[in-house]
Amino acid sequence: MYLVSAVCPCHAVCARRRADRCQRARREQVRLHAAELFTCGYTDEQVARELRVTRMSANRWRRA
C-alpha cells in the first residue's frame, strides 16, 4: 500500500497523514456544497442524491 522510503523512515506515516488531510478537505467541500443546496430549498433526499451520500448524512448536515 505505502512504500517506505530509505531516506525518510516515517514516509509511510507522512503519506497517510497527507491523504487524511486531503480526504478531510474533500469531505468539508461536500458538506459546504450540501449547505448551499439546503439554502436553495433542496430536501435531504435531493441533496443525498446530488452529492451521492446517504440520506442520513444529508439529514445530519442539515441539522448541524
Side-chain angles (χ1 to χ4, degrees), residues 23-44:
Q23 290 170 350
R24 271 196 305 273
R26 174 69 182 128
R27 286 192 301 265
E28 183 62 19
Q29 289 301 313
V30 171
R31 285 190 290 267
L32 291 174
H33 189 183
E36 291 175 8
L37 294 175
F38 287 129
T39 301
C40 292
Y42 280 55
T43 65
D44 294 351

Side-chain angles (χ1 to χ4, degrees), residues 12-60:
V13 173
C14 296
R16 264 194 308 274
R17 287 181 182 154
R18 276 194 304 276
D20 290 345
R21 278 195 302 259
C22 290
Q23 290 170 350
R24 271 196 305 273
R26 174 69 182 128
R27 286 192 301 265
E28 183 62 19
Q29 289 301 313
V30 171
R31 285 190 290 267
L32 291 174
H33 189 183
E36 291 175 8
L37 294 175
F38 287 129
T39 301
C40 292
Y42 280 55
T43 65
D44 294 351
E45 187 176 346
Q46 291 169 322
V47 169
R49 193 177 316 119
E50 177 79 21
L51 301 180
R52 296 182 180 188
V53 298
T54 64
R55 190 179 51 77
M56 185 67 91
S57 291
N59 181 268
R60 265 181 282 173

